[in-house]
Amino acid sequence: MSVIRWDWVERHAGDIAGMLGQHVALTGLALLCGLIIAFPLALAAVRWPRLYSLSLVLTGILFTVPSLALFILLIPFTGLSMATSLIGLTIYTLLILFRNIVEGLRGVPRDVSEAARALGYTRGRRLIAVELPVALPVIVAGIRIAAVTTIGLVTVTALIGQGGLGQLFISGFTLHFTTPLLVGFVLSILLAVSVDLLLAGVLWWLTPWHRGRSA
Amino acid sequence: MIRFEQVTKRYGRHDAPALAELDLTLCTGELTVLVGPSGCGKTTTLRLINRLEEASAGRIIIDDMPIDDLDVIDLRRGIGYVMQHSGLFPHRTVAENIAVVPRLLGWKRARIRARVDELITLVGLDTGLAGRYPHQLSGGQQQRVGVARALAADPPILLMDEPFAAVDPIVRTRLQDELRSLQARLQKTIVFVTHDIDEAIRLGDRIAIFAEGGRLAQYAPPTDVLAAPADDFVADFLGADRDLKRLALFSAADASAMSPSPVADPGTTDIRAIAQAAGVNWVFWRDADGAPSGWQYLDETAPQAVGTVIGPADSLRKALGAILQSPLGAVPRVDAQGRLDGVLDRAALAAVLA
Ligand SMILES: Nc1ncnc2c1ncn2[C@@H]1O[C@H](COP(=O)(O)OP(=O)(O)OP(=O)(O)O)[C@@H](O)[C@H]1O
Ligand SMILES: [Mg+2]
């Protein structure tokens, strides 16, 4: 008996593609929401350092909550819905993204932002044309970690009825059938690796000045 | 002209002032050096000029305009700024870094490109470096790019905060020389901060010496400061070799040679009379073209090789070194055509310092 039943895979190819699609969509949406929320928060935290230490404590506590518990806590409010899974996932991306955006911006050498000020950049232009580009490697590093983490977490949301490829694990376990388990396992790893590489490639393309430097 | 009127700067409401009731007028087209020990308010003074810091009291006036009446962004774009660690943008190439202010000012592309090329040459960079990123440059090259960036929009005022402090001494000397020749051509109003008194003396048309607590101890041309330190603080700051530093500021042409100088022309038979008139027991020989050809003790029959000759543009400090090394305690000085026009001894140098 072979480890994998290819005929099953062939029969369910459409379903699997759908799950993969949902997996990507959930991950992408969670990252996007995370970025949209983390960004202004990070800007505020850079501006008011006290806020930063406070928020680090808060996010640290949030991070220790087991992921499943977090989703379950949300169920009374949003039910077994896409919203529940998305909110939970977003919170996790938020924690990672916030920290990295703040660290990235704080890592901009002082003389670089001082020079921008002295040369007559307005505050907004300085942020967009100088500080963000210089912080980009650290920010993208955060997005990569957040993306890979989220891809793993999406499978957990199968337990609340969502979950993309995670649904394959559920059916594998309930049917005592290894094929869906393996397919889910391999596909989610492939997805994580390719998204990570893709983001690394995007960073490489965006930061010609950073190539060949140790990060 | 940049005028400080009773300017005080406190960073915290209850802090001692970083700068105390400063009155100072910086002249247009001159290079003014702000010098003093660490923490005495030099950087603060500089940063007040382009409003990177705001004065707590008093006002600063540039060409009859109080800077508080100007738009701060316009003010800064009109003032070049160079700092110790170049502050170059790591994500921009050399050319893009230099183009920063022209781009902010909305210049046309072609004009920017032409200006960047011009500046790269002006500050002595290799044109091949235009496409490099700052981390691919040496410290000295980075400082040159920093200077080019500050000059890009041709601002009348240039602020430089210890721009050469982070490069090695040899490169520093070269950058100082280049800044001097650049300034001779461009005639900018430059405010230059350093804590190195030698750098201040080398570069400054005038130097402002600050003491702790942001007190201006003396403000005068370097020669005046060296000749007459305003107080003990300034004298200490100038160091025990103050007279040597002063000598470095005079050229050989400024000194009066021994009078008469013991110099013999070809065909002279009685060198004794010449030597005795000068009160010494030796003479320098001049050849038919007037160039120094050797020297001779009265009791010897043949002249010796001439040794070090001081040109009119050499500093008196160099002359002193040569005098100390010469067995005669004197060196021949030539004019621009290379003709021996007098002999310098220690008394001649002392007379300059007196
Ligand atoms: N941003 C700031 N906040 C609080 N105090 C400051 C700040 N900048 C400077 N000071 C204080 O003001 C005083 C003058 O500082 P300033 O940087 O002008 O000195 P400086 O002459 O440039 O010294 P250095 O040669 O070390 O660069 C110092 O006592 C310094 O601690
Ligand atoms: Mg300073």
Side-chain angles (χ1 to χ4, degrees), chain A residues 187-215:
Chain A
L187 281 183
S188 54
I189 287 183
L190 277 181
L191 181 63
V193 170
S194 29
V195 167
D196 195 43
L197 285 179
L198 180 75
L199 286 170
V202 169
L203 177 66
W204 187 86
W205 178 71
L206 282 177
T207 56
W209 55 278
H210 200 254
R211 290 172 202 163
R213 289 176 107 183
S214 48

Side-chain angles (χ1 to χ4, degrees), chain A residues 89-190:
Chain A
L89 294 172
T90 299
I91 289 177
Y92 278 101
T93 61
L94 188 60
L95 304 183
I96 299 170
L97 292 173
F98 170 73
R99 193 182 274 253
N100 272 266
I101 297 173
V102 174
E103 288 307 324
L105 289 175
R106 280 158 59 114
V108 174
R110 215 186 118 70
D111 51 322
V112 170
S113 37
E114 274 298 294
R117 219 153 77 85
L119 293 172
Y121 276 84
T122 56
R123 189 193 288 279
R125 201 151 167 183
R126 186 168 98 225
L127 177 70
I128 289 169
V130 180
E131 293 169 343
L132 277 180
V134 174
L136 201 61
V138 179
I139 296 176
V140 174
I143 298 180
R144 284 170 68 183
I145 299 170
V148 171
T149 310
T150 309
I151 288 171
L153 277 175
V154 168
T155 57
V156 174
T157 65
L159 294 168
I160 56 164
Q162 303 292 318
L165 297 167
Q167 292 161 30
L168 289 169
F169 296 131
I170 304 269
S171 44
F173 284 124
T174 44
L175 303 174
H176 294 288
F177 179 33
T178 48
T179 298
L181 286 178
L182 276 175
V183 171
F185 184 71
V186 169
L187 281 183
S188 54
I189 287 183
L190 277 181

Side-chain angles (χ1 to χ4, degrees), chain B residues 129-178:
Chain B
L129 298 179
R132 291 228 195 145
Y133 289 99
H135 77 274
Q136 300 167 317
L137 303 178
S138 73
Q141 289 168 335
Q142 290 184 14
Q143 287 312 114
R144 289 195 168 93
V145 178
V147 172
R149 180 174 69 174
L151 288 171
D154 205 16
I157 298 173
L158 203 57
L159 309 179
M160 309 180 84
D161 193 355
E162 307 206 26
F164 307 144
V167 295
D168 68 66
I170 295 174
V171 176
R172 187 182 315 147
T173 310
R174 200 161 70 221
L175 290 173
Q176 288 167 350
D177 289 343
E178 287 171 10

Side-chain angles (χ1 to χ4, degrees), chain B residues 168-240:
Chain B
D168 68 66
I170 295 174
V171 176
R172 187 182 315 147
T173 310
R174 200 161 70 221
L175 290 173
Q176 288 167 350
D177 289 343
E178 287 171 10
L179 178 64
R180 275 214 301 213
S181 61
L182 208 62
Q183 171 63 353
R185 265 181 292 164
L186 302 180
Q187 303 281 310
K188 300 281 181 195
T189 305
I190 301 182
V191 191
F192 187 107
V193 165
T194 179
H195 55 250
D196 175 356
I197 183 65
D198 292 307
E199 185 168 62
I201 292 169
R202 275 173 71 84
L203 290 177
D205 293 313
R206 265 170 227 274
I207 59 185
I209 300 180
F210 284 80
E212 281 82 3
R215 178 177 70 88
L216 179 62
Q218 190 167 11
Y219 177 49
T223 40
D224 296 3
V225 173
L226 286 166
D231 56 21
D232 289 348
F233 168 79
V234 176
D236 272 358
F237 191 71
L238 293 172

